[in-house]
Amino acid sequence: MVPKYLNILAEFASGADINSLSAAARERARWIIADCIPVIAAGMQQREMQAFAAGHLACSGAGNAWVIGAGRRANALDAALINGTAGTWLELDEGNLFAKGHPGIQVVPAAVALAQELEVTGSDLLLAVALGYELSARISRAAQMKLSVHPHGTYGVIGAAIAAAKLKRFSSAQMIELINCAATMGMATSRQTLLDGATVRNIFTGHSGYMGLMATRLIECGFTGEIDSPATIYGKVLSDTFDPARVVASLGSEWLIAQSYFKLHPTGRYAHSVIDALEDLLERVPGARLDASRIERIEVRAYMLAAMLAEKHVVSSFGARFSVPFALASILVHGRSGLKSFDDAAVANPQVQALAQRVDLQEDKSFTARYPAEQPVTIRIVLRDGAAFEGRCGVTKGEPANPHQPEELRGKFFDLGEPVWGRSVTQNLFEGLMGIEDIASFREFSQRFEL
């Protein structure tokens, strides 16, 4: 017998229309789509991604879907795989603390790729992304995944599958089978990959898009799933605790997608809280700049997940994005945050490496108790002459309670997009995505751009 919560999810997914979304959910879904696309394009410029795209496309089938940042097109499956992988390379993708991960970059590549193959509107795409994001995020929220499990490549498969199924207009019965199949098609992902700076971690999100699309194919071919696969996977395999009632609590009135965050720093999310505390500290410093050579030590107290990013011996650009000591040292040495503060040259900078060794990062359990509603961090920098400066973060910038402004998100779109596409294409693409509900055919819209 189909569990009640799965019936509710499936009926909601199959029956929802654009007017089912709250104004906040609709606005956030629009920005999530717009944010993901230049993030993918910038990530595609990494040498590993260029090699992966070239090698994979050499043996893949033709199609109409953008391989974003490569100026090529492919079939939806391969585009979702490649774009999803590029989207996490620079650690600039959107995320959600309540979903405990990054739903957007696991859902958007699959939905956008499929929308370029089907005859769907921009509103159809917006709704599909919102539903895939929302329902998969709720499944993640209802579980307590083991800390050793990286959330990428897990519940994102469900999200990508639901988005694709909505574009294909699956019935409620098909949605039930789809969720039960997709739930068991995730990966055995390891959080240690990011702590080790292992770039295999980036394929996890590409896997979500690819397998989400594959799940819809399986259902169309008559494949079936378990009776309650989410409860098995998220209550026994990846997690030992799963609350079905929490999956559907306030469904349609409370929108987790509206509680997401955007990122302006190219680091793991928990490092953002520490960077915010550093920015707060620098506001108290004359000229908002400290001479790194004068710093004796840097004392940081943070909630557990931020305190875990304690690696001081960074050896790669990717690993630099998951090290609080490196982030602080590089920003202080370079006087700014940004892609260049985490590139290979920054990693090779002996001044940055030396300053990272002088960071003392510890968990404050009282801060951990306040997470995720708050993300508390304190920082104290002591200079060699004994002078000291302090800063703090309560709610990380970008969270719903401390949001980035639209002009900041627009600036990010252009900062990432222009080096890849040029000013004119970036401007026209941005304007089109901001008016996505007015697009009569997303496939025709996509033909205007070679991304």
Side-chain angles (χ1 to χ4, degrees):
M1 183 175 180
V2 177
K4 182 179 179 180
Y5 85 96
L6 280 183
N7 270 319
I8 293 171
L9 278 188
E11 289 174 5
F12 184 79
S14 61
D17 61 26
I18 194 67
N19 295 315
S20 302
L21 302 179
S22 70
R26 194 164 170 168
E27 175 74 3
R28 187 54 59 99
R30 184 187 306 115
W31 272 110
I32 288 170
I33 295 169
D35 188 72
C36 283
I37 289 176
V39 166
I40 292 167
M44 198 71 73
Q45 307 316 304
Q46 301 302 298
R47 63 181 182 274
E48 297 94 336
M49 278 308 312
Q50 291 179 341
F52 177 43
H56 190 76
L57 293 175
C59 57
S60 70
N64 193 54
W66 293 319
V67 181
I68 300 169
R72 300 181 62 178
R73 292 179 185 263
N75 63 83
L77 274 170
D78 291 317
L81 174 68
I82 297 170
N83 291 335
T85 304
T88 53
W89 207 282
L90 299 179
E91 270 303 303
L92 281 165
D93 51 300
E94 171 273 352
N96 192 302
L97 293 183
F98 301 95
K100 293 168 282 193
H102 298 250
I105 201 60
Q106 303 187 77
V107 173
V108 170
V112 167
L114 185 60
Q116 292 175 82
E117 292 192 345
L118 303 177
E119 192 54 57
V120 299
T121 68
S123 286
D124 292 333
L125 174 58
L126 184 72
L127 175 63
V129 167
L131 291 174
Y133 186 117
E134 182 69 23
L135 302 190
S136 62
R138 285 170 164 269
I139 287 171
S140 178
R141 182 181 67 170
Q144 292 296 328
M145 277 198 282
K146 299 169 184 176
L147 190 58
S148 59
V149 175
H150 195 304
H152 291 358
T154 56
Y155 68 88
V157 178
I158 303 173
I162 290 171
K166 186 62 179 177
L167 291 173
K168 291 185 173 186
R169 298 176 173 84
F170 272 25
S171 68
S172 177
Q174 287 177 304
M175 282 286 186
I176 291 172
E177 289 295 351
L178 176 79
I179 294 169
N180 277 327
C181 279
T184 197
M185 292 168 68
M187 301 178 76
T189 57
S190 167
R191 187 179 293 271
Q192 190 63 36
T193 53
L194 65 85
L195 299 177
D196 287 351
T199 51
V200 67
R201 169 263 193 185
N202 293 317
I203 199 71
F204 299 171
T205 41
H207 172 95
S208 285
Y210 187 96
M211 294 307 287
L213 292 179
M214 182 61 70
T216 64
R217 288 192 180 182
L218 297 182
I219 300 308
E220 289 170 328
C221 295
F223 282 63
T224 60
E226 300 175 26
I227 293 174
D228 188 359
S229 188
T232 300
I233 299 302
Y234 295 96
K236 298 178 181 179
V237 181
L238 299 178
S239 165
D240 295 322
T241 303
F242 181 69
D243 182 1
R246 201 167 184 218
V247 177
V248 295
S250 302
L251 181 63
S253 58
E254 177 198 29
W255 289 90
L256 294 189
I257 190 172
Q259 301 177 53
S260 75
Y261 60 78
F262 293 104
K263 298 170 72 173
L264 299 183
H265 303 295
T267 69
R269 179 55 175 172
Y270 312 126
H272 284 226
S273 309
V274 184
I275 294 171
D276 285 356
L278 175 62
E279 291 179 344
D280 180 60
L281 179 150
L282 291 173
E283 289 178 2
R284 297 166 169 77
V285 176
R289 187 79 187 268
L290 284 172
D291 181 349
S293 67
R294 295 177 56 210
I295 296 174
E296 175 70 26
R297 65 183 183 277
I298 303 172
E299 302 167 354
V300 182
R301 300 297 176 263
Y303 55 97
M304 180 187 66
L305 291 171
M308 286 178 62
L309 304 182
E311 180 59 58
K312 294 183 179 182
H313 302 283
V314 170
V315 296
S316 70
S317 175
F318 186 68
R321 303 178 196 280
F322 302 98
S323 165
V324 163
F326 182 92
L328 293 175
S330 191
I331 291 169
L332 285 164
V333 168
H334 291 98
R336 65 188 182 282
S337 174
L339 292 176
K340 289 188 179 298
S341 294
F342 296 88
D343 64 11
D344 291 336
V347 172
N349 187 319
Q351 188 179 19
V352 173
Q353 291 283 1
L355 184 55
Q357 305 309 309
R358 300 199 291 274
V359 176
D360 175 39
L361 172 62
Q362 301 290 334
E363 178 189 2
D364 185 316
K365 293 187 182 299
S366 70
F367 289 178
T368 300
R370 291 159 59 186
Y371 180 88
E374 298 176 65
Q375 306 86 44
V377 170
T378 61
I379 182 171
R380 184 170 183 262
I381 296 181
V382 181
L383 304 184
R384 297 189 189 281
D385 63 7
F389 298 92
E390 297 183 354
R392 64 181 57 250
C393 168
V395 175
T396 311
K397 293 175 184 175
E399 291 296 325
N402 189 17
H404 294 307
Q405 297 305 306
E407 56 267 25
E408 293 178 286
L409 299 180
R410 181 184 184 280
K412 175 185 174 183
F413 189 101
F414 280 79
D415 286 346
L416 296 177
E418 278 193 63
V420 181
W421 306 314
R423 178 74 183 185
S424 178
V425 170
T426 304
Q427 179 74 43
N428 291 332
L429 179 62
F430 178 78
E431 291 175 355
L433 294 173
M434 286 294 98
I436 193 169
E437 290 113 315
D438 297 325
I439 297 174
S441 167
F442 193 82
R443 182 170 62 186
E444 292 181 11
F445 170 80
S446 73
Q447 293 294 338
R448 294 167 45 196
F449 303 95
E450 291 301 323
L451 301 184

